[in-house]
Amino acid sequence: MKYFDYAATTPPDSDVVRTMAEIMEAHYGNPSSIHGYGERADQLLRRARCGCAAALGVKPEEIVFTSGATESNNLAIKGAALRYQTRGKHLITTATEHASVYESFLQLQQWGWEVTWLPVDSDGRVSTQQVMDAIRPDTVLVSLMHVNNETGIIHPVAEIGKRLKSAAPRVLFHVDGVQGFGKLEAKPASWGADLYSLSAHKIRGPKGAGLLYVRSGVELTPLLSGGSQEQGMRAGTENVPLLVGMAKAMRLAAERQLAFAERATVLRDRIMETIETIPGLKLNSRKDGAPHIIHFSYPGMKAEVALHTLEQLGIIVSTQSACSSRSAEPSRVLLAMGRDAASASGGLRISLGNEHTEEDVALLEQALHQMVAQLRPLERRM
Amino acid sequence: MKYDMLLLRFGEFMLKGKNRARFEKTIITQVRALLKPYPGASLRKEFGRLYVDLGGHSHTELIAVLKRVFGVMSISPVKVTPSVLEDIVETAVAFMDERENEFKEGTTFKVNTRRVWKEYPHSSHEMNHMVGSPILRKFQQLRVDVRNPDIELRVEIRDQGTYIFNEVIPAVGGFPLGTNGKAMALLSGGIDSPVAAWASMRRGLEVECVHFYSYPFTSQRAKEKVIDLARALADHAGTIKLHLVPFTEIQTAFTQLGQDNLIITLMRRSMLRIATKLAERERALALITGDSLGQVASQTLPSMNVIGRATELPLLRPLVMMDKQEIITMSKQIGTYDISILPYEDCCTLFVPKSPTTNPNLRIVDKIEATMSHLPEWVDEAVAQTETIVLHAGEAAPATSDNTGNEIKEDWF
């Protein structure tokens, strides 16, 4: 079986797994306890925090550990909206965000905030000017993903951050960095981002660990209360082994980023070219997108059927994003890009990781050809 | 405004003729140490001034760092433009544009041109007019006042480019670090002692820190807290040496004497003796404490008298006449406050007697110490077992020996 669903989750690095197992056994102290067991756990946590901060080029005290990107996004968006509601009740995001961002904004809308949902162009990209034009005196927060999880399109976050900082310095800027970290350069502080979310399991770390970068001086209303952990922004005993695992995974991903991007781009371009030559398949991603995501449609065929056929042929891909793939709704992202309902519900995603080889890609290409050949008789009957 | 460099001006030591070269060299060393986390930023010396090329880093961030350099009086962010009239005028107008929101009807300004490059075709006087006129045309609210202007726009014309600046941001001032010698500061985990160490640095002392810990009564975290405090000081000095002294044995010995009200006095005297030996070893010529008159029992005048006699070195107490609130304000400014208020026990808060004496008797104290025949040995032992670490600005602390038998493996990270 060849796994091509790294954008959904990645197999944890074996070094990370070993580290976490050793820590889980040896250092089970609560980092808030003051005895030696607690101290050791706390020390591990401090080291992990420094490691995560270094990988992002920020200060250790600007890292808030969470259970994953969903929590980070919720904390960033609702935490900022609640904390700064006296500045105004207007928020800006795009129509193509991940569900954890999208639903947070829907919730805030229900609670009385006004949300501007920026449209995207046919490639799925939002422009800097659109963001700037949407700013109002009562705008509190702009939230934007670095890389779209379905199509791999890259948003100009650095440019937007810089423009925001000079034109509207009081507006907070949140970047959902989940699909960008480890694939593209990730320097939230130099982009002018105030908040930046990250998840460990997308970069060969464990599930259940994530972080939010909170620029010094920015305050958030906590969503979880009950203790003074994480500077009071996120109560709850820190999961030390997972967080150390995340720090290690982040270091490795940051070190390998350039090499990975170079290698994955070659493989991605090759896969894209193959898809373009197969009649019946339609490429939705662009070559200037992220190096690890290829999105395509098989119009006239239900995506799930294509997925299962590929699985039978030994290739794992996904439909939409994993978080919404169990819903029968067409992709919100593709609809926002102006695709019709048929291709929006027929999307398939191939996503690459750092261990994929030319041979793996050859197998994938073979399977794509075979899949179309097998399904051709069924086209438009489904 | 995107600035190109920072101009650093020196302080009072500039007057001291013969030493100037040495003083400048010291400042340059400290600037280099503080710039380490900012690759790309570079340094250039000129007579009586220092220029730091920003190398793409944010000017506000570097100003915040370089404001701490002892001996630097003020900093100006500078825009560099070609020494061509049109460029100079355009940049000067852009400079004023940045500050337009400060202008009121009748705000006064002047242009002050210095022509370092004598071949430049226009005289300083002409330049003042040629730069000033378009500004006056653009900003109708402005008036010229050459004697006492609200805003002074400085234009320095040089061969390689013209420097334009107007903001003068006050910096920490004082003397360059170490130009007045070296001293040993007793660092507790409290609010006062880091401020005392910093205040000493500002007067040109190179400061090394001594901390006493009482493991296992105090925790590893108390020790780490002090390491963090020393590192916060390193963010000002560039580098700080920290001596960690095991104090458990001496401290427990004092608790066995049945002289509870004198424990603090005796403890402080032993600390000063150990610090004196360390100072001699490191060639430091004074001890620094965070004492503030009357704050606690050991800081009454009689206590200070009896405690201070345990050392022959000058005992410097920079905070002795300051109010607590002033000290807290300073500790917030220098970035040690948030660390100082972490709640771990340290050896100074351990075994505090119910009623420590505010008026100790020197003869009695001398007598008690004379009965403790092992005391000099313990002092030497503590000195011998002292662990020394060096902390650098912007870097994580090095690992220290861990008394808890900690097994944290490097390859986990």
Side-chain angles (χ1 to χ4, degrees):
Chain A
M1 222 30 119
K2 287 289 168 199
Y3 182 81
F4 284 98
D5 197 12
Y6 276 64
T9 196
T10 57
D13 183 285
S14 57
D15 251 5
V16 171
V17 173
R18 178 184 52 79
T19 292
M20 293 190 299
E22 286 177 16
I23 294 174
M24 213 174 265
E25 275 195 299
H27 296 289
Y28 50 83
N30 183 329
S32 297
S33 304
I34 64 169
H35 48 61
Y37 286 71
E39 275 175 20
R40 262 162 285 171
D42 187 44
Q43 231 179 0
L44 283 165
L45 205 59
R46 284 164 67 141
R47 293 281 302 267
R49 203 180 296 279
C50 289
C52 294
L56 288 175
V58 302
K59 291 177 238 155
E61 59 272 23
E62 295 176 318
I63 299 290
V64 173
F65 287 133
T66 65
S67 64
T70 291
E71 190 191 326
S72 298
N73 285 338
N74 272 268
L75 174 59
I77 295 161
K78 289 184 235 166
L82 291 167
R83 172 64 185 77
Y84 295 105
Q85 53 186 314
T86 50
R87 287 186 184 175
K89 292 190 121 186
H90 177 238
L91 312 163
I92 299 170
T93 188
T94 77
T96 59
E97 296 302 315
H98 182 264
S100 59
V101 169
Y102 182 75
E103 308 259 342
S104 292
F105 279 108
L106 283 184
Q107 212 170 7
L108 283 165
Q109 230 172 4
Q110 281 165 9
W111 294 344
W113 270 265
E114 196 183 330
V115 179
T116 298
W117 304 91
L118 293 176
V120 295
D121 63 16
S122 59
D123 292 326
R125 198 183 279 122
V126 70
S127 76
T128 308
Q129 199 51 47
Q130 279 177 301
V131 175
M132 299 312 297
D133 290 346
I135 300 282
R136 310 191 320 209
D138 60 338
T139 305
V140 174
L141 173 80
V142 171
S143 174
L144 189 61
M145 64 200 334
H146 186 193
V147 170
N148 184 275
N149 54 312
E150 291 188 40
T151 63
I153 201 78
I154 302 170
H155 290 297
V157 285
E159 193 186 305
I160 292 172
K162 277 172 200 152
R163 286 279 298 279
L164 276 174
K165 280 298 141 241
S166 62
R170 268 162 69 86
V171 175
L172 294 174
F173 183 36
H174 167 239
V175 177
D176 172 359
V178 172
Q179 293 293 351
F181 186 83
K183 283 88 188 177
L184 306 172
E185 192 183 53
K187 292 277 171 265
S190 67
W191 298 341
D194 302 288
L195 301 155
Y196 177 87
S197 325
L198 198 99
S199 167
H201 77 99
K202 308 282 191 190
I203 50 166
R204 310 208 59 183
K207 292 171 188 63
L211 64 79
L212 182 65
Y213 155 73
V214 183
R215 185 175 59 75
S216 307
V218 173
E219 293 170 28
L220 298 174
T221 297
L223 305 183
L224 303 181
S225 337
S228 58
Q229 290 96 343
E230 303 302 305
Q231 298 135 69
M233 287 194 245
R234 201 272 185 187
T237 301
E238 291 95 344
N239 193 332
V240 177
L242 261 55
L243 296 172
V244 176
M246 171 164 72
K248 182 168 202 155
M250 280 178 72
R251 177 176 64 76
L252 294 173
E255 284 170 7
R256 294 169 181 161
Q257 186 248 312
L258 281 178
F260 169 73
E262 213 171 289
R263 243 163 32 83
T265 304
V266 173
L267 299 180
R268 179 200 63 181
D269 290 355
R270 196 179 132 182
I271 298 168
M272 282 183 167
E273 279 154 29
T274 304
I275 289 172
E276 279 174 327
T277 61
I278 300 178
L281 300 190
K282 193 174 162 303
L283 195 59
N284 298 315
S285 292
R286 290 169 48 100
K287 287 203 171 174
D288 61 358
H292 66 305
I293 295 180
I294 302 128
H295 191 278
F296 67 100
S297 313
Y298 189 171
M301 185 59 55
K302 279 191 176 161
E304 201 187 319
V305 177
L307 177 141
H308 290 309
T309 310
L310 283 171
E311 186 165 5
Q312 289 232 297
L313 295 166
I315 299 291
I316 305 292
V317 301
S318 67
T319 62
Q320 300 194 20
S321 73
C323 300
S324 42
S325 56
R326 281 175 194 269
S327 89
E329 295 289 306
S331 159
R332 190 163 40 75
V333 176
L334 291 192
L335 288 178
M337 288 163 61
R339 300 291 195 272
D340 56 40
S343 56
S345 42
L348 288 167
R349 180 183 67 187
I350 297 166
S351 43
L352 303 170
N354 53 4
E355 32 162 47
H356 285 132
T357 61
E358 300 264 342
E359 291 82 71
D360 297 334
V361 168
L363 289 174
L364 167 73
E365 289 169 328
Q366 213 183 323
L368 286 172
H369 281 290
Q370 235 174 307
M371 182 255 304
V372 175
Q374 273 182 22
L375 295 181
R376 185 145 298 141
L378 300 173
E379 276 176 33
R380 303 195 203 288
R381 290 190 200 156
M382 315 224 27
Chain B
M1 172 87 53
K2 180 118 180 66
Y3 293 99
D4 302 301
M5 59 185 199
L6 303 178
L7 159 60
L8 277 60
R9 294 180 198 80
F10 299 150
E12 53 188 299
F13 71 89
M14 275 304 291
L15 305 169
K16 302 186 187 284
K18 266 199 293 189
N19 286 324
R20 200 182 51 225
R22 181 167 65 95
F23 283 9
E24 285 181 358
K25 227 174 115 192
T26 312
I27 289 197
I28 289 170
T29 311
Q30 195 190 349
V31 169
R32 286 231 163 88
L34 292 179
L35 285 181
K36 257 213 179 116
Y38 302 90
S42 63
L43 191 108
R44 199 151 41 82
K45 193 187 86 101
E46 218 171 79
F47 185 81
R49 283 173 171 187
L50 218 53
Y51 293 103
V52 173
D53 282 307
L54 289 167
H57 295 286
S58 109
H59 70 280
T60 43
E61 203 175 332
L62 282 192
I63 289 173
V65 169
L66 294 174
K67 259 165 104 169
R68 301 170 182 157
V69 175
F70 301 108
V72 170
M73 265 322 267
S74 65
I75 300 181
S76 294
V78 178
K79 179 88 191 154
V80 185
T81 187
S83 293
V84 174
L85 183 62
E86 294 74 42
D87 293 311
I88 296 172
V89 170
E90 191 186 321
T91 313
V93 173
F95 239 96
M96 296 302 274
D97 214 34
E98 284 286 303
R99 300 187 63 167
E100 198 188 353
N101 54 352
E102 297 169 33
F103 301 164
K104 288 190 229 32
E105 198 50 51
T107 296
T108 56
F109 92 107
K110 81 163 177 183
V111 179
N112 181 355
T113 308
R114 247 184 83 201
R115 208 171 50 132
V116 182
W117 181 35
K118 296 299 177 199
E119 271 90 84
Y120 185 75
H122 307 286
S123 74
S124 310
H125 192 68
E126 286 167 3
M127 282 305 286
N128 288 347
H129 279 283
M130 285 193 276
V131 173
S133 309
I135 291 174
L136 276 175
R137 273 198 301 276
K138 174 145 193 211
F139 308 102
Q140 305 279 330
Q141 3 18 352
L142 293 180
R143 298 284 168 274
V144 173
D145 180 349
V146 291
R147 279 194 191 78
N148 189 21
D150 299 320
I151 295 169
E152 183 175 354
L153 184 67
R154 314 266 291 259
V155 177
E156 286 191 13
I157 302 169
R158 290 157 187 272
D159 199 352
Q160 72 278 21
T162 294
Y163 301 166
I164 300 183
F165 54 95
N166 70 352
E167 259 180 297
V168 178
I169 298 158
V172 61
F175 286 98
L177 196 68
T179 49
N180 281 330
K182 179 155 60 167
M184 194 65 82
L186 279 72
L187 196 64
S188 69
I191 293 169
D192 302 346
S193 54
V195 176
W198 177 84
S200 311
M201 291 183 212
R202 188 167 57 168
R203 292 314 289 172
L205 285 174
E206 179 190 348
V207 171
E208 292 189 10
C209 296
V210 193
H211 175 69
F212 298 86
Y213 67 91
S214 292
Y215 181 81
F217 302 120
T218 58
S219 65
Q220 186 69 19
R221 262 182 272 196
K223 192 163 142 187
E224 267 157 25
K225 172 180 166 180
V226 169
I227 293 173
D228 283 345
L229 282 174
R231 188 177 24 200
L233 292 174
D235 285 340
H236 296 268
T239 310
I240 283 281
K241 219 184 218 188
L242 171 65
H243 305 282
L244 294 156
V245 185
F247 199 58
T248 321
E249 196 168 14
I250 296 177
Q251 195 166 20
T252 24
F254 289 139
T255 62
Q256 322 277 311
L257 290 171
Q259 291 278 359
D260 280 5
N261 57 347
L262 280 177
I263 284 180
I264 302 278
T265 314
L266 292 162
M267 233 171 67
R268 298 261 164 199
R269 282 168 61 93
S270 291
M271 288 178 175
L272 288 188
R273 291 198 182 96
I274 293 169
T276 303
K277 296 217 158 178
L278 287 168
E280 281 163 359
R281 193 181 81 189
E282 304 286 330
R283 298 174 200 281
L285 294 181
L287 301 182
I288 301 161
T289 69
D291 292 333
S292 168
L293 187 60
Q295 189 173 191
V296 291
S298 62
Q299 295 173 11
T300 60
L301 196 54
S303 282
M304 283 201 249
N305 173 38
V306 172
I307 293 168
R309 282 170 195 262
T311 183
E312 286 182 348
L313 288 176
L315 195 47
L316 308 179
R317 297 170 164 120
L319 314 183
V320 72
M321 301 304 178
M322 279 174 70
D323 281 351
K324 191 72 185 183
Q325 201 48 51
E326 294 173 74
I327 300 173
I328 287 175
T329 306
M330 280 175 89
S331 86
K332 285 180 179 163
Q333 278 163 3
I334 65 172
T336 54
Y337 182 76
D338 289 336
I339 310 170
S340 290
I341 58 172
L342 292 173
Y344 312 118
E345 292 274 359
D346 67 34
C347 69
C348 303
T349 57
L350 278 182
F351 313 126
V352 177
K354 274 201 198 78
S355 53
T357 178
T358 53
N359 186 16
N361 183 314
L362 183 59
R363 270 187 313 164
I364 295 173
V365 169
D366 277 337
K367 232 188 242 169
I368 294 172
E369 284 176 349
T371 64
M372 299 177 75
S373 52
H374 290 299
L375 197 53
E377 240 170 77
W378 288 337
V379 165
D380 288 339
E381 229 168 85
V383 171
Q385 285 169 13
T386 295
E387 185 187 356
T388 299
I389 57 176
V390 180
L391 300 146
H392 300 283
E395 263 179 32
T400 60
S401 71
D402 190 333
N403 307 306
T404 56
N406 201 335
E407 273 193 75
I408 289 180
K409 297 191 198 159
E410 279 309 305
D411 77 338
W412 287 348
F413 298 88

